């Protein structure tokens, strides 16, 4: 859920759309001019990820869709924001997979995942889903996991880490979510959701809207990720948003309440990537001064850093893994053999 963009967005075709600032206003026009349908045509996930899979959770009807790439190194396990999908990490995946494995799941109520209750986005349920997917994929001996979460997914990642029940957790990467600003923005969220354009005649129109509204600034990333955030409404003969976020308001506060302390108390190496400098609350400011985590402000990007500047995002993530010597089995100390892990 993009809590950083609090402006109302006009409906498709309204005069107001022509006055919106272009995300590409500083870039000279490219020639030759493409038609709108070509420029915003969907791109296939397989150009970025190696494979996809449906993870059936034992003893339940819940099935979580995942995208995977890479064959060695730690597992970079990615959690997208509210209203996004696992393909939010597609463009970054093509670079991350050169040095690490990457798994991006569609959270409950999003993308191609199908659960018995798609609007139960309570933090306990979301955390349980992550543990269930990891357990089903890797059993009792998971490889080193670097949890990456954007926005709502960042809150889930922090809560998962805080439970300290993932023994192979080796790193935590939180993308553009801070407790203070997230909590302050909650009173605006229903208005933001209702002011979004709700219906699209084609996926191309949704991709175009996401770029022209400024919610995403990278056309190629939008072309990969946006189609999977839509569903076709048979009664209205159009596309609409797949995630029913407006029905989940009862859970919003618990995503973010106490997030800073939970983040700071996580014992693994951690990095906070922000799209702006004014978002640190008091606890994080003190924690950063004490060197408890690394912080990077990524310039010239919107809320979805991993989509807007995927190469820079991938480089920051791989540097974090390298700097903290996170290998396939966890933290690697040169010259020392890692003792075999005993099963819990």
């Amino acid at each position: 859920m993009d809590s950083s963009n609090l402006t109302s967005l006009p409906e498709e075709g309204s005069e107001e759309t022509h006055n919106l600032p272009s995300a590409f206003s500083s870039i000279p026009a490219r020639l030759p001019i493409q038609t709108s349908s070509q420029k915003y045509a969907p791109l296939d996930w397989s150009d970025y990820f190696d494979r996809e899979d449906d993870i059936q959770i034992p003893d339940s009807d819940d099935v979580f869709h995942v995208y995977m790439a890479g064959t060695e190194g730690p597992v970079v396990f990615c959690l997208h924001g509210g209203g996004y999908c696992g393909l939010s990490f597609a463009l970054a995946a093509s670079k991350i997979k050169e040095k690490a494995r990457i798994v991006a799941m569609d959270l409950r109520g999003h993308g191609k995942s199908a659960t018995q209750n798609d609007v139960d986005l309570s933090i306990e349920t979301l955390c349980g889903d992550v543990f269930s997917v990891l357990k089903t994929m890797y059993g009792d001996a998971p490889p080193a996991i670097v949890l990456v979460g954007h926005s709502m997914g960042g809150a889930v990642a922090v809560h998962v880490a805080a439970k300290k029940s993932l023994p192979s957790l080796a790193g935590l990467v939180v993308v553009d979510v801070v407790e203070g600003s997230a909590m302050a923005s909650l009173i605006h969220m229903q208005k933001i959701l209702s002011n979004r354009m709700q219906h699209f005649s084609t996926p191309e129109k949704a991709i175009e809207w996401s770029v022209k509204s400024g919610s995403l600034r990278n056309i190629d990333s939008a072309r990969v990720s946006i189609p999977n955030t839509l569903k076709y409404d048979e009664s209205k003969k159009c596309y609409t948003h797949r995630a029913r976020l407006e029905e989940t308001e009862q859970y919003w506060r618990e995503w973010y309440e106490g997030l800073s302390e939970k983040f700071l108390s996580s014992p693994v190496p951690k990095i906070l990537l922000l799209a702006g400098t004014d978002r640190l609350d008091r606890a994080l400011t003190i924690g950063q001064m004490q060197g408890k985590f690394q912080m990077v402000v990524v310039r010239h990007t919107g809320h979805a850093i991993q989509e807007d500047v995927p190469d820079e995002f991938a480089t920051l993530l791989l540097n974090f893994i390298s700097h903290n010597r996170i290998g396939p089995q966890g933290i690697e100390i040169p010259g020392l053999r890692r003792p075999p892990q005993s099963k819990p």
Side-chain angles (χ1 to χ4, degrees):
M1 191 184 304
D2 187 347
S3 60
S4 66
N5 183 1
L6 304 183
T7 53
S8 302
L9 297 173
E11 289 287 326
E12 177 187 1
S14 73
E15 290 181 16
E16 212 177 322
T17 41
H18 301 300
N19 300 324
L20 279 173
S22 167
F24 294 90
S25 56
S26 61
I27 300 175
R30 293 189 180 126
L31 297 174
I33 304 281
Q34 293 176 301
T35 65
S36 181
S37 60
Q38 288 174 316
K39 185 177 180 181
Y40 299 108
L43 294 174
D44 197 74
W45 64 266
S46 60
D47 292 338
Y48 306 96
F49 285 101
D50 298 339
R51 58 201 182 281
E52 63 178 351
D53 199 5
D54 284 320
I55 307 299
Q56 169 76 55
I57 305 304
D59 304 318
S60 86
D61 293 328
D62 295 344
V63 179
F64 292 96
H65 200 73
V66 299
Y67 299 90
M68 296 171 282
T71 56
E72 54 191 38
V75 170
V76 176
F77 196 85
C78 300
L79 306 173
H80 61 78
Y84 295 79
C85 70
L87 293 178
S88 185
F89 297 92
L91 268 63
S94 58
K95 184 167 184 176
I96 292 169
K97 69 181 182 182
E98 296 171 9
K99 299 284 179 67
R101 289 170 281 177
I102 177 168
V103 177
M105 74 179 275
D106 287 339
L107 293 169
R108 174 179 296 258
H110 292 74
K112 292 183 180 178
S113 291
T115 66
Q116 288 181 293
N117 186 351
D118 276 354
V119 292
D120 177 10
L121 297 190
S122 68
I123 198 66
E124 285 302 314
T125 297
L126 291 171
C127 288
D129 292 342
V130 172
F131 284 118
S132 295
V133 168
L134 288 170
K135 172 86 169 173
T136 306
M137 289 182 71
Y138 301 113
D140 293 326
I145 303 287
V146 177
L147 268 184
V148 179
H150 167 238
S151 199
M152 177 193 81
V156 176
V158 170
H159 281 271
V160 167
K163 290 182 182 297
K164 297 184 172 64
S165 50
L166 188 60
S168 68
L169 184 65
L172 179 60
V173 181
V174 175
V175 184
D176 211 43
V177 58
V178 166
E179 178 182 350
S181 52
M183 294 294 289
S185 71
L186 290 183
I187 58 169
H188 305 288
M189 286 316 308
Q190 284 291 6
K191 186 174 185 208
I192 293 169
L193 292 172
S194 64
N195 283 339
R196 292 186 303 176
M197 192 172 153
Q198 302 295 332
H199 303 103
F200 308 94
S201 55
T202 63
E204 285 84 351
K205 288 292 184 186
I207 293 166
E208 182 176 4
W209 174 83
S210 73
V211 174
K212 288 187 173 177
S213 69
S215 62
L216 293 179
R217 301 185 184 185
N218 184 317
I219 292 183
D220 285 345
S221 189
R223 291 168 69 189
V224 183
S225 69
I226 290 297
N228 260 29
T229 67
L230 306 172
K231 63 180 178 183
Y232 189 71
D233 186 329
E234 280 290 348
S235 63
K236 295 179 179 170
K237 303 296 181 192
C238 66
Y239 292 87
T240 187
H241 302 286
R242 155 85 169 94
R244 291 145 58 191
L245 293 175
E246 62 283 352
E247 298 175 37
T248 66
E249 183 173 4
Q250 60 182 306
Y251 306 119
W252 297 349
R253 289 189 69 84
E254 65 184 55
W255 294 347
Y256 305 120
E257 240 167 5
L259 200 63
S260 294
E261 291 298 341
K262 281 185 167 64
F263 176 72
L264 291 169
S265 66
S266 177
V268 296
K270 43 198 174 285
I271 184 171
L272 177 62
L273 304 181
L274 293 179
T277 53
D278 59 338
R279 305 189 186 185
L280 283 195
D281 51 34
R282 178 178 167 78
L284 288 182
T285 301
I286 295 170
Q288 197 213 357
M289 291 169 67
Q290 294 172 337
K292 290 185 176 178
F293 66 96
Q294 182 186 355
M295 186 186 82
V296 178
V297 177
V298 186
R299 307 287 180 186
H300 314 300
T301 178
H303 180 48
I305 296 171
Q306 73 281 5
E307 297 212 45
D308 292 349
V309 288
D311 285 352
E312 186 174 352
F313 173 80
T315 298
L316 286 166
L317 197 143
L318 292 175
N319 286 347
F320 169 76
I321 290 171
S322 173
H323 174 75
N324 290 290
R325 296 181 177 144
I326 302 171
Q329 303 305 319
I331 309 300
E332 295 183 347
I333 300 171
L336 288 181
R337 286 193 61 174
R338 186 174 175 80
Q341 283 184 314
S342 58
K343 291 187 180 180

